[in-house]
Amino acid sequence: MALHSAAAAAALSALLMLSFSGLTLSDTTPSTPVSPSAACNATTDPTFCRSVLPPRGKGDLYKYGRFSVAESLAGARMFAALVDRYLARHRHLSSSAIGALRDCQLMADLNVDFLTAAGATIKTTDTLLDPQADDVHTLLSAILTNQQTCFDGLQAASGSWSDRGGLDAPIANGTKLYSLSLSLFTRAWVPTAKPAHSHKGGSNDPHHGHGHGHGDKNKKHPAASAARRGLFDVTDDEMVRRMAIEGPEATVEVNTVVTVDQSGAGNFTTIGDAVAAAPRNLNGSTGYYVVYVLAGVYEENVVVPKHSKYIMLVGDGIGQTVVTGNRSVVDGWTTFQSATFAVVGQGFVAVNMTFRNTAGPAKHQAVAFRSGADLSAYYGCSFEAYQDTLYTHSLRQFYRGCDIYGTVDYVFGNAAVVFQGCTFYSRLPMQGQCNTVTAQGRSDPNQNTGTSIQGCSLVAAPELAANTAFTTLSYLGRPWKNFSRTVVMESYVGALVDPSGWMPWSGDFALSTLYYAEYNNTGPGADTSRRVAWPGFHVLGDGTDAGNFTVSSMVLGENWLPQTGVPFTSGLIP
């Protein structure tokens, strides 16, 4: 995983300025006309903001927010074209430079899509209901993550090419512009957002079954769907049997079902071919494109692209249906491209699958699974690698009953993600390495992102538990970016976790701006009396703050998880 950017100090300065200058607008509403200068006082970078907003006249925060998003979209389009021009000269570039630019190309294209969608949503209204407000907040958070991914990749490849000076300034300016759009949005629309229904705190009861697609509350579904039972409206242990007997078409709303069978008896012999045959741009209202993958070891690298939406991948169980690859940074891949299985298309669901990267600890970053799929859910899956196993890249994600194996930073990224009932297995790293379960990458104080680990177990994998050759220290996490945010709550913390709990990234980087918290954990490693004394670390005394990191609050799961059939607890565990 790449080092944090040199802009961290500037971000900290902006945050401190924000905490004081925000008082300027404390007595106004978002609809109150103010000067551009006054509007900029409440942003993370007032000086840059004043260089962007029109200098004369007055407007409300809604007007300035729309203007900023429009400017961001124009900038994203120009940057995408710039990356395309660099790639057109690829004969003169190293393979690592080409890989980094291709990552930037995807990120830039997604940013154009996200800003187009965000701009369309806020164009004609000053009032957004949840989940609309959360949708836009999520998209504007993701464009910063995408920009950071591009920057990190170029930084990692900088030693192999010199002709990248033309990208540095556009990336830096784009990051500032995207941060401004996010800042103005959170000050205009987020405070006035009205929930479609109460979701803060949520319910303690598990939810099961299927529901309507996210954002399609008023669409009518076929009458037959009302009679379908939820895929997981029984105990978790019953799920495999039900799927095997009844099939996916009888349990969740389905558009098409195809099978992958290496023997040739199914519709396809590879997962990649099945994904490529999926209908384009399903919106969830007509059901999932279900890919049933029979037991076997599938040696392939799979990408679910942005137009392949609402795909449900169902295997025969952990260790039975396995997708495996061995790409790594040492072998020339970017961290982003090293993933054995990568998902971008919205609404992706995976059940009963194993995703594996076998590159090994000596190959350093080697991702088993990368998700940048909004509203994606994973149930009964195993993610197995060493460093950087599970890349929860961006947008909203949920994991239930999954196993995650790794060593260094093995759950990393900048999604808004909740893990429930999962087991994190810290493996045996190379001698001299420490295990860190998480490396959360929130880079802006207004991003609605973070990692929530709820009702899970953090334990040693068998090879780590049996090792006597050398000592390995294990930690809950370390801050990849300046505003890293991770909460471990209502979970079992094994004895492997060092009493200090958390590991610094480098010196005092992010120790004042991160948000790390623990709440109501058990186990021999859960004692917080000897935890780090960082300003950003918190031991939560009651459920009020912890409730902000539940399914209902962190990812608004009650609005979209019922459709997936994956069970979830929306609030704190009773």
Side-chain angles (χ1 to χ4, degrees), residues 62 66 120-128 132 189:
Y62 299 115
R66 293 186 185 102
T121 301
I122 66 175
K123 183 177 182 179
T124 58
T125 182
D126 294 347
T127 303
L128 293 178
Q132 271 190 315
W189 280 272

Side-chain angles (χ1 to χ4, degrees), residues 404-535:
I404 305 97
Y405 293 80
T407 55
V408 179
D409 305 335
Y410 64 93
V411 177
F412 74 110
N414 195 26
V417 57
V418 178
F419 293 87
Q420 279 186 355
C422 296
T423 303
F424 297 82
Y425 291 99
S426 292
R427 306 179 79 171
L428 183 65
M430 294 189 294
Q431 188 169 359
Q433 287 185 324
C434 296
N435 284 331
T436 42
V437 178
T438 66
Q440 207 281 329
R442 185 167 170 257
S443 62
D444 189 282
N446 290 308
Q447 287 178 309
N448 63 350
T449 55
T451 297
S452 175
I453 295 174
Q454 181 188 23
C456 296
S457 296
L458 298 94
V459 298
E463 68 267 28
L464 177 62
N467 176 57
T468 59
F470 54 87
T471 300
T472 298
L473 299 178
S474 297
Y475 300 90
L476 297 174
R478 59 177 181 157
W480 185 20
K481 303 297 178 186
N482 211 34
F483 299 94
S484 183
R485 181 160 60 179
T486 302
V487 176
V488 180
M489 59 186 188
E490 302 179 310
S491 294
Y492 176 88
V493 182
L496 76 160
V497 173
D498 188 82
S500 61
W502 305 83
M503 178 182 176
W505 185 273
S506 178
D508 62 357
F509 168 72
L511 303 188
S512 297
T513 51
L514 61 77
Y515 183 93
Y516 285 172
E518 297 178 52
Y519 170 72
N520 202 26
N521 295 314
T522 60
D527 181 6
T528 58
S529 64
R530 296 167 59 190
R531 287 296 194 254
V532 294
W534 303 341

Side-chain angles (χ1 to χ4, degrees), residues 196-250:
H197 58 81
S198 177
H199 63 267
K200 289 294 180 184
S203 167
N204 291 330
D205 299 325
H207 291 250
H208 308 275
H210 77 280
H212 294 256
H214 181 74
D216 294 309
K217 301 281 182 190
N218 297 320
K219 290 186 178 181
K220 293 184 179 180
H221 291 246
S225 69
R228 289 196 180 105
R229 288 173 291 168
L231 179 55
F232 310 122
D233 60 357
V234 291
T235 64
D236 289 6
D237 291 340
E238 182 78 1
M239 190 280 294
V240 175
R241 187 190 66 81
R242 170 165 290 189
M243 174 60 78
I245 294 174
E246 300 184 6
E249 65 273 19

